[in-house]
Amino acid sequence: MVGIPRALWFWEFFPFFRTFFNSCGLRVEVSGTSTGDLIHSGVESVAAETCFPVKLAHGHVMDLLQRD
């Protein structure tokens, strides 16, 4: 399985990466939608001060890491 965070360049490149990984025989899983809990998780996981989209991306990665 390959997890792809639903953040940053997701909307531009997801069709390409989904097709690529599926053709390699891998299942693609996307992180959940942006919720308050997901945002909070991203804000808490960033060590340095960054812009909001990067904090949100960290939350989406944390969402994928918490799955099986």
Side-chain angles (χ1 to χ4, degrees):
M1 180 197 58
V2 174
I4 299 180
R6 193 185 303 243
L8 301 175
W9 288 97
F10 169 81
W11 302 109
E12 296 288 329
F13 293 112
F14 178 66
F16 167 76
F17 283 115
R18 178 183 54 198
T19 303
F20 174 76
F21 288 123
N22 283 339
S23 68
C24 291
L26 298 168
R27 185 172 55 93
V28 174
E29 188 159 336
V30 178
S31 62
T33 57
S34 299
T35 62
D37 290 337
L38 189 137
I39 293 167
H40 180 72
S41 172
V43 169
E44 293 297 316
S45 69
V46 176
E49 188 59 35
T50 62
C51 63
F52 179 74
V54 171
K55 292 176 184 177
L56 180 62
H58 276 80
H60 281 278
V61 171
M62 298 297 291
D63 177 58
L64 289 167
L65 289 173
Q66 292 171 355
R67 298 180 185 192
D68 289 334

